[in-house]
Amino acid sequence: MASPMRSLLADPDRYLRSFRLFLESSTEHQSMREFVERQLPDVIASIGDGKSTINVLSVGGGAGEMDLQILSKIRARYPGATINNDVIEPSADQISKYKERVAQASNLENITFTWHKETAYEYESRMNAEKKTKKWDFIHMIQMLYYVKDIPATIRYFHSLLESQAKLLVILVSGNSGWETLWKKFGSSFPLEDLCSYVSSADLPRMLDSAGLKYQLYELPSHMDITSCFIEGDKDGELLLDFLTETLDFAKTAPPELKHQLMEELRKPGCSENRDGKVFFNNNLGVIVIEP
């Protein structure tokens, strides 16, 4: 009898290890970097027009890798402006890595950093309690809406903080990705325990349309090598399976039938592509740019 399945988020250390392995095994950051290089300049083309100071808010900034790339583009577009970059991030470990990254970077003149160790909801509650409504020229939420209880309310709140030329950038897994397939088929079997919700770029247009918001959608191709998941006892494969299912020790604790069905599904075209004897999971991303 398999032991009961538990959420991967119940073990922060294993979650971080599986997340780092996911980044190593996937083209996630490369895909985002390409978007930042090629398409972000158009997105930010008018956010700082006529301004000597540009205010940027990173919601769920993590360890700052993507943040610094975004900031470099904003600085290139507005070389004379001062940039105030505020970061909302609940993990002390991630903030510490972010600060290290900033300390080691050489091209951050004119950029000031302020970190808030809190969730998006805690930030909103604190601002409301202090009766503050700071406005922002650019807000981005990269891969963080899964950890929000009320997604439409969160988007509405941060959208309300946009200046007249500002943009709100959201990056999530795509509705055409293997994630969407996995969640639809097995989501109810995974032990989420209210810690996380399944949301993809396919869910956002409905929410944004009902709120009357204007937006643009972009699709970013990305994949993840999950070949090791099919090697019995492979430690990396087990970590990636944990990440794919948000389940702690999925390979050891999942009921045999669930594990069998999931492994079968992972090989199918709805989830993955088989190339040169390897299995590449469809990790496509959706980008939503919301207008003020």
Side-chain angles (χ1 to χ4, degrees):
M1 170 81 187
S3 55
M5 289 161 64
R6 291 170 62 217
S7 169
L8 178 57
L9 292 165
D11 183 341
D13 178 58
R14 190 167 171 90
Y15 172 79
L16 269 176
R17 276 167 46 219
S18 70
F19 175 63
R20 286 188 193 117
L21 183 61
F22 155 70
L23 288 180
E24 285 168 28
S25 310
S26 74
T27 59
E28 169 114 350
H29 274 181
Q30 292 94 303
S31 298
M32 288 188 203
R33 276 198 291 271
E34 278 179 27
F35 173 81
V36 168
E37 283 298 318
R38 295 176 186 172
Q39 284 146 311
L40 189 70
D42 287 342
V43 172
I44 60 169
S46 58
I47 62 168
D49 285 358
K51 299 195 168 193
S52 58
T53 301
I54 298 171
N55 294 312
V56 179
L57 182 62
S58 164
V59 187
E65 184 178 346
M66 295 313 305
D67 285 22
L68 295 193
Q69 290 176 30
I70 289 169
L71 290 169
S72 76
K73 288 294 167 207
I74 296 174
R75 209 181 68 147
R77 175 69 183 83
Y78 302 101
T82 298
I83 301 171
N84 293 328
N85 184 67
D86 278 38
V87 182
I88 299 169
E89 171 54 54
S91 162
D93 181 55
Q94 294 287 79
I95 288 176
S96 162
K97 289 188 169 54
Y98 197 138
K99 288 179 175 175
E100 280 170 29
R101 192 166 257 129
V102 167
Q104 288 160 9
S106 57
N107 56 345
L108 301 177
E109 309 85 50
N110 299 350
I111 304 177
T112 62
F113 291 85
T114 308
W115 288 272
H116 307 276
K117 187 188 168 300
E118 56 196 347
T119 63
Y121 179 72
E122 286 163 352
Y123 175 85
E124 179 181 348
S125 303
R126 179 169 63 80
M127 286 294 160
N128 289 338
E130 295 172 8
K131 297 195 166 34
K132 286 183 183 168
T133 41
K134 180 166 181 179
K135 294 278 186 173
W136 302 90
D137 300 301
F138 189 62
I139 301 176
H140 56 86
M141 306 172 162
I142 298 176
Q143 295 287 43
M144 62 69 66
L145 278 179
Y146 320 107
Y147 308 105
V148 163
K149 286 277 188 285
D150 187 336
I151 292 165
T154 299
I155 290 174
R156 274 198 307 274
Y157 171 71
F158 285 102
H159 179 265
S160 76
L161 306 182
L162 292 177
E163 291 278 18
S164 58
Q165 298 289 321
K167 296 283 193 292
L168 170 57
L169 173 84
V170 176
I171 300 184
L172 285 172
V173 298
S174 163
N176 302 315
S177 68
W179 294 102
E180 180 84 343
T181 308
L182 274 191
W183 294 344
K184 279 205 168 113
K185 192 145 194 178
F186 301 105
S188 60
S189 305
F190 298 153
L192 271 192
E193 297 165 6
D194 262 1
L195 294 167
C196 173
S197 58
Y198 297 130
V199 56
S200 75
S201 65
D203 300 308
L204 257 63
R206 181 176 42 81
M207 296 178 194
L208 298 173
D209 291 340
S210 68
L213 301 180
K214 285 196 285 197
Y215 56 91
Q216 279 107 37
L217 287 169
Y218 304 82
E219 181 90 1
L220 309 186
S222 175
H223 61 260
M224 166 170 50
D225 185 347
I226 59 167
T227 314
S228 61
C229 293
F230 300 94
I231 302 167
E232 196 65 41
D234 186 284
K235 291 287 175 251
D236 282 355
E238 288 180 359
L239 264 181
L240 284 178
L241 270 179
D242 284 11
F243 192 79
L244 284 163
T245 61
E246 291 276 347
T247 302
L248 190 58
D249 288 321
F250 177 84
K252 297 185 175 77
T253 64
E257 185 55 26
L258 174 63
K259 184 180 172 186
H260 173 73
Q261 288 174 355
L262 181 103
M263 300 310 284
E264 291 276 295
E265 194 65 38
L266 278 176
R267 285 189 183 275
K268 290 182 184 171
C271 272
S272 303
E273 187 187 354
N274 292 283
R275 277 201 318 267
D276 306 324
K278 293 191 164 188
V279 185
F280 292 98
F281 182 77
N282 179 332
N283 186 57
N284 283 10
L285 302 168
V287 177
I288 302 98
V289 177
I290 306 170
E291 307 285 334

